[in-house]
Amino acid sequence: MAADGNWNITMSTPMGERKATLSLKTSGGTLTGVQGAEGNSAEIFDGTANGDDLTWKVSITNPMPLTLEFTGKVSGDSISGEMGIGPMGSFPFTGTRA
């Protein structure tokens, strides 16, 4: 599938740009993988893949405990979309295949 593989993503957040790695695998309409940043990594959950459209969530503890909700689209070797940070709103992310 288009999303399968490793990605380097940059998230625009209220605290500036944050870089992360993303390793994705699709199986049918299910998206699984691991997202890592600043030496920490976590399994993604509630992931879906519908063609080039993706959604997933990841729980982080740094800089504070939060669940990030991603909605994105793969286009060739690029990925982009929005990252929801609960009450703080949504912020854009972009990435390229690693």
Side-chain angles (χ1 to χ4, degrees):
M1 294 293 292
D4 288 11
N6 297 316
W7 300 88
N8 293 314
I9 63 172
T10 301
M11 302 161 286
S12 297
T13 76
M15 297 172 11
E17 283 194 346
R18 307 290 282 229
K19 299 207 178 288
T21 58
L22 190 57
S23 179
L24 299 177
K25 178 148 181 56
T26 54
S27 177
T30 303
L31 182 70
T32 58
V34 175
Q35 187 166 326
E38 299 170 5
N40 300 309
S41 63
E43 295 279 333
I44 66 170
F45 61 96
D46 290 349
T48 64
N50 182 3
D52 293 335
D53 296 315
L54 311 174
T55 64
W56 72 93
K57 296 178 184 175
V58 66
S59 292
I60 64 168
T61 56
N62 185 22
M64 65 188 84
L66 290 170
T67 297
L68 308 178
E69 298 186 29
F70 289 82
T71 303
K73 187 173 191 76
V74 173
S75 177
D77 288 334
S78 297
I79 188 171
S80 62
E82 295 285 320
M83 172 185 65
I85 311 179
M88 290 182 250
S90 292
F91 303 90
F93 79 90
T94 59
T96 55
R97 198 175 295 276

